[in-house]
Amino acid sequence: MTKNKNNKAIWSTRIKSGTSTIFQRVGSSVDIDKRLYKEDLDGSVAHVEMLFKQKIISFKIKNKIIYGLKKIEKEISYKKFKFNKLYEDIHMNIEKRLFEIIGEEAGFIHTARSRNDQVITDLKIWLRSATKEIDISLDKIIKNILNLAEKNIFTIMPGFTHLKNAQAVSFAHYLMAYVEMFNRDKKRFNYNLDSLNENPLGVAALSGTSFNIDRNYTTKKLGFKKPTNNSIDTVSDRDFVLDFLYAISVCSMHISRIAEELIIWNSDAFNLINLSDKIVTGSSIMPQKKNPDLLEYLRGKSGITYGNLFSMLTILKSLPLSYFKDLQDDKEIVFKSNDTLLGCLKIFEEVLKNFTPNKKQMLKLASSGYITATDLADYLVKNHSMSFRKAYQKTADIVNLAEKNKINLEQLTLQDLKKIEPKLTNEVLKVFDLKNSINSKKSYGGTSFDNIKKMIIKYKKQK
Ligand code: ARG
């Protein structure tokens, strides 16, 4: 890059003593916000086209500026552009370079605009494409879970509450719970797209502009729905950043929950799943070990994304209107959360392809812990006209009897059962069958095999 007339920040015209080098170092954000260069250039092109349409700048100047901006785009994409920390951020780096390429007429580009509206325009446009990328990754995750679920409709496992055996469920049903979560994540990200779809460009520093600009024109050009309504709110607002960070936090929380489940199920104590060698690591001292490090990585990352959300909330707390330098950190936080989540989604996709349920052990565990007790209580209500509370009491007595004899419910004989409820017949024994138990949960959203099949078909059709 050739030297500018004076190698100084643009705003330094009235600041005589020169900024201290330490402030130059901490105040510069170009290392981070250069990631917005494409969005910044697009925003500038739309802006100068609007300025020309409104007869604020001439045809010749507009073309010159656009020529310069296109050249800068090439330089940056071919890594030929020298970013200079002295020019603070991506906006000033581009403007400085524009001066070098087209000369003094570059000065028209910043008519009726401020970096305050420019930076949010860039960030909003960037968030749109980032959200699309996350959405695509979430679709892949959902597809992988559906495939796994499809193969495991008849895989029986214990459903837990308090991590104690509760009721038998299909492993597919368990997996499909996560499809619900990731679908809600998709919605959450898309709500945010909708609410950030207002064009900030043209509110300038904070109060609007005396130039006769057309904000509807740039709105259309940049793919927004409408211009923002209040110039002060516009430059102060980072709600769309919070919403994005929150959506990321919730999504990474979902990943951390399934990661934790898989870690527990992979433990030697549970042994409900096997992880392939692709997703485990060894120990430097214990030769026998295969550790679920990747799952632990996924579980831990939610700590980072929550931290980022809290950083931004804290930056915004009590911040008066309108623009303050405090806000500059929003981009670093957003990029970090975005990259963390995308990384987690990629790893999680690998995990989904690299573990298998240990069906025998799942069934064995599901056969313990008196897991069909609720089925027995329901049976008593339906067939022996008892209230549920009465049936609950009788069933508890039956469980106590099994516990006393150190056997499972299905090992009790009809004679044993009749000691507690004389009216019982042979028919009762079918309630202890796990398949019957699962298949009886036909209420909408329940774990019956038919329900799951239908749900998988429904979600597969949506893709
Ligand atoms: N780099 C700045 C930021 O990201 C751009 C806005 C600067 N505005 C200002 N008045 N200093 O926040």
Side-chain angles (χ1 to χ4, degrees):
M1 200 187 290
T2 54
K3 272 239 159 132
N4 235 64
K5 225 188 262 162
N6 51 356
N7 198 18
K8 276 184 183 170
I10 287 174
W11 45 253
S12 67
T13 326
R14 247 175 49 74
I15 298 176
K16 296 282 180 263
S17 60
T19 319
S20 75
T21 43
I22 182 142
F23 178 67
Q24 272 175 27
R25 196 146 39 82
V26 298
S28 162
S29 62
V30 69
D31 285 346
I32 296 184
D33 57 31
K34 65 180 173 200
R35 198 161 159 179
L36 295 175
Y37 84 89
K38 183 91 182 56
E39 292 74 12
D40 196 72
L41 291 165
D42 289 348
S44 288
V45 170
H47 181 65
V48 293
E49 277 173 347
M50 182 279 292
L51 291 178
F52 161 65
K53 185 188 85 73
Q54 295 299 96
K55 302 191 171 55
I56 299 168
I57 61 170
S58 72
F59 183 66
K60 198 178 128 229
I61 290 177
K62 176 206 80 162
N63 282 349
K64 253 186 145 174
I65 292 177
I66 291 179
Y67 159 80
L69 294 174
K70 298 282 170 216
K71 193 164 162 76
I72 292 171
E73 184 167 353
K74 277 204 188 106
E75 288 177 358
I76 301 180
S77 56
Y78 291 123
K79 305 212 172 351
K80 297 227 162 79
F81 190 97
K82 281 201 193 105
F83 294 97
N84 188 339
K85 281 191 185 201
L86 185 66
Y87 309 142
E88 232 184 297
D89 53 27
I90 183 65
H91 325 294
M92 291 311 215
N93 269 268
I94 289 177
E95 192 176 321
K96 275 277 181 182
R97 181 70 187 127
L98 191 64
F99 270 93
E100 290 175 348
I101 298 172
I102 68 165
E104 279 306 304
E105 280 158 337
F108 285 94
I109 195 177
H110 215 52
T111 318
R113 170 176 95 168
S114 151
R115 279 186 296 162
N116 295 355
D117 56 343
Q118 192 180 350
V119 69
I120 339 168
T121 308
D122 296 0
L123 188 54
K124 281 188 170 183
I125 299 175
W126 186 90
L127 281 170
R128 273 195 320 227
S129 39
T131 301
K132 273 184 204 128
E133 204 179 334
I134 292 173
D135 196 62
I136 291 170
S137 293
L138 280 169
D139 280 342
K140 284 191 198 152
I141 296 292
I142 290 170
K143 199 173 134 207
N144 277 294
I145 300 180
L146 285 173
N147 287 341
L148 200 57
E150 208 170 21
K151 287 186 205 136
N152 285 287
I153 295 172
F154 298 105
T155 305
I156 295 173
M157 67 171 285
F160 307 99
T161 61
H162 311 268
L163 209 52
K164 298 277 287 178
N165 283 11
Q167 293 174 341
V169 294
S170 149
F171 181 44
H173 195 53
Y174 211 98
L175 292 167
M176 295 291 285
Y178 283 94
V179 169
E180 296 297 321
M181 291 176 228
F182 293 120
N183 267 318
R184 283 199 297 275
D185 286 328
K186 275 167 64 77
K187 274 195 208 149
R188 210 170 281 110
F189 280 108
N190 282 303
Y191 290 148
N192 188 35
L193 270 196
D194 196 49
S195 69
L196 66 69
N197 213 355
E198 296 184 359
N199 178 19
L201 199 59
V203 303
L206 82 159
S207 68
T209 174
S210 60
F211 288 98
N212 176 31
I213 60 169
D214 182 353
R215 294 191 62 207
N216 288 317
Y217 181 86
T218 51
T219 294
K220 238 180 148 188
K221 279 257 154 189
L222 297 172
F224 289 104
K225 208 159 63 191
K226 62 188 276 293
T228 52
N229 284 334
N230 179 297
S231 57
I232 299 176
D233 171 59
T234 305
V235 292
S236 319
D237 171 35
R238 294 295 182 278
D239 292 1
F240 62 95
V241 169
L242 290 176
D243 290 344
F244 182 70
L245 295 172
Y246 174 68
I248 287 187
S249 299
V250 176
C251 184
S252 64
M253 174 270 287
H254 290 149
I255 296 174
S256 83
R257 290 182 81 168
I258 194 164
E260 169 73 346
E261 307 258 39
L262 298 181
I263 290 166
I264 294 172
W265 296 353
N266 180 244
S267 68
D268 296 317
F270 272 75
N271 191 26
L272 293 185
I273 57 163
N274 302 310
L275 303 181
S276 94
D277 282 0
K278 272 193 182 162
I279 56 165
V280 293
T281 53
S283 150
S284 59
I285 174 171
M286 297 168 281
Q288 85 283 14
K289 292 283 270 186
K290 284 187 176 181
N291 294 328
D293 280 39
L294 274 182
L295 289 168
E296 291 161 16
Y297 172 95
L298 292 178
R299 182 177 57 186
K301 283 296 174 233
S302 50
I304 306 287
T305 61
Y306 293 6
N308 290 339
L309 171 63
F310 268 82
S311 298
M312 197 63 221
L313 280 168
T314 313
I315 287 170
L316 289 167
K317 180 190 171 295
S318 315
L319 194 69
L321 310 184
S322 58
Y323 177 82
F324 289 90
K325 189 77 167 177
D326 312 43
L327 295 170
Q328 178 162 282
D329 277 325
D330 60 355
K331 287 164 292 298
E332 182 169 11
I333 293 170
V334 162
F335 295 154
K336 273 190 186 158
S337 270
N338 176 76
D339 298 348
T340 303
L341 182 68
L342 277 182
C344 286
L345 290 169
K346 273 205 188 90
I347 293 172
F348 184 42
E349 204 189 324
E350 278 305 294
V351 169
L352 287 169
K353 290 180 190 152
N354 282 288
F355 85 89
T356 45
N358 187 349
K359 295 185 186 180
K360 260 195 200 150
Q361 182 61 18
M362 281 188 170
L363 187 62
K364 192 170 160 216
L365 189 61
S367 308
S368 68
Y370 316 108
I371 205 163
T372 47
T374 323
D375 300 278
L376 176 58
D378 288 352
Y379 175 88
L380 293 173
V381 171
K382 285 191 234 165
N383 296 282
H384 295 279
S385 43
M386 281 182 210
S387 75
F388 183 75
R389 272 292 153 256
K390 178 95 182 140
Y392 178 101
Q393 192 50 53
K394 290 263 175 198
T395 306
D397 292 343
I398 291 172
V399 171
N400 284 340
L401 180 68
E403 193 176 46
K404 205 174 113 211
N405 296 345
K406 296 193 171 53
I407 53 174
N408 289 335
L409 288 178
E410 71 274 18
Q411 291 168 306
L412 290 168
T413 62
L414 185 60
Q415 278 65 34
D416 294 331
L417 295 166
K418 279 184 156 209
K419 275 182 221 152
I420 290 161
E421 177 44 63
K423 279 186 263 161
L424 285 172
T425 65
N426 242 335
E427 210 204 343
V428 68
L429 302 174
K430 73 172 196 278
V431 302
F432 301 126
D433 180 89
L434 294 178
K435 270 195 204 124
N436 287 341
S437 164
I438 291 179
N439 231 358
S440 70
K441 309 289 165 42
K442 291 194 196 308
S443 55
Y444 185 81
T447 188
S448 79
F449 300 124
D450 273 356
N451 274 2
I452 301 168
K453 275 187 222 160
K454 277 186 202 144
M455 213 44 105
I456 293 176
I457 291 170
K458 180 181 146 196
Y459 278 120
K460 284 211 147 183
K461 268 193 195 147
Q462 264 176 32
K463 296 296 130 206

